[in-house]
Every structure is written in structure tokens, then in C-alpha cells.
Amino acid sequence: MRWFLFPLLALGCVPKGPVPLQNLMAGPQSSGSLATEPSGVLIVESGGTYSLMTTLNAKNLGERPIRVDLSRARVSVDDLPFLNCKQAPGTNPADLIATIGPNQSGQAKVICRDIAKPIQKVELKFYTSGTGVSGEVTVGFYGLGERP
């Protein structure tokens, strides 16, 4: 009888479907004149592979247009080096570049496929221009083992 319960208990521990991730930093994050509110979802796919879906709600607080480029995004899992974000086949890179006018808001979404299972944290780095500061922005989320 015990041999029957063990596989059932093991299957119950595996997260299934989309798992919302909590932001490493609470509240809106700013980089120059760009304010972002990121949200992350870990997608558990068949075969035990993982994808990170990041949605950015962005607002331009400045007086010049801002360009947000997610087409060259990079992802880091548990402090490993940043690697290029593998996007789904057929993804048009032009759809991952947005221009946000002064005092306007926008939303952008990117899915990075085939990432390692994040235990501590997962971070996404992307590029911007027109913000008045460095062109790299990093947003992060707690991993599966660090859930509060």
C-alpha cells in the first residue's frame, strides 16, 4: 500500500500551470523618468521546462519619449550570469519594442522560454533610452523556494 501513496505524494509537490511570482522590490520601480510595475509568472510546461512571462506596466514621467526594448532582454536565474531570453518561434522583435510618449503609460510583455527552475530569484534585464540615466533596467522576482 505504501508504494502506491509515494508516487501520488510526489506528484502533488510539482507546481502545475502558471505560478505568480512576487516582486523582489515592493511598489513601482523607477529608472530616470521611467516608472515600471513589473509582474512575473512562471509557466511550468510539460517535460518540466519553465518559462518566465514578464508584464511591464510603464509610465513616462519625463518630457521626452522613452523607448523600451524587450527584444534583447536577458534573464538570470539564482544569480547565474544573464543569458539571452529565448522567445517563442515566430515572435516578431518589433512587437517587443515600444515608444512611450511624455506623461503616457504603456504595457509590454515578454516570455523567456526554457529557463532553469528559479529557487531563490529570477531577474530580467532589458534596455531603454530617453530616460536620462543608464539604459539598462533590471526587474526581479522571488523564486519558488523563497516564497514569503
Side-chain angles (χ1 to χ4, degrees), residues 45 51 85-93 95-96 110-114:
E45 299 176 11
S51 295
C85 174
K86 295 179 192 172
Q87 296 160 9
T91 301
N92 184 355
D95 293 340
L96 300 173
V110 65
I111 298 175
C112 297
R113 301 174 55 87
D114 301 326

Side-chain angles (χ1 to χ4, degrees), residues 3 6 12 21-22 31-32 36 57 61 83 97 108 115 143 145:
W3 62 270
F6 180 71
L21 301 175
Q22 184 175 359
S31 176
T36 59
N57 292 312
L61 304 174
L83 301 173
I97 299 172
I115 67 168

Side-chain angles (χ1 to χ4, degrees), residues 15-140:
K16 297 172 182 71
V19 178
L21 301 175
Q22 184 175 359
N23 292 348
L24 287 175
M25 297 177 63
Q29 301 173 31
S30 62
S31 176
S33 58
L34 175 67
T36 59
E37 289 190 50
S39 63
V41 174
L42 188 67
I43 302 168
V44 181
E45 299 176 11
S46 61
T49 61
Y50 298 88
S51 295
L52 174 67
M53 179 174 64
T54 304
T55 304
L56 295 171
N57 292 312
K59 181 168 177 106
N60 182 348
L61 304 174
E63 297 177 4
R64 298 181 357 198
I66 292 176
R67 181 176 187 226
V68 177
D69 184 356
L70 296 175
S71 68
R72 298 181 298 141
R74 296 181 293 156
V75 65
S76 170
V77 176
D78 294 338
D79 290 323
L80 291 173
F82 280 90
L83 301 173
N84 289 335
C85 174
K86 295 179 192 172
Q87 296 160 9
T91 301
N92 184 355
D95 293 340
L96 300 173
I97 299 172
T99 301
I100 304 171
N103 296 313
Q104 292 185 344
S105 297
Q107 187 180 71
K109 183 187 306 186
V110 65
I111 298 175
C112 297
R113 301 174 55 87
D114 301 326
I115 67 168
K117 180 179 179 180
I119 302 300
Q120 297 173 352
K121 67 180 177 178
V122 59
E123 296 175 293
L124 180 79
K125 186 180 286 190
F126 60 94
Y127 299 96
T128 63
S129 61
T131 62
V133 295
S134 170
E136 285 188 345
V137 177
T138 304
V139 297

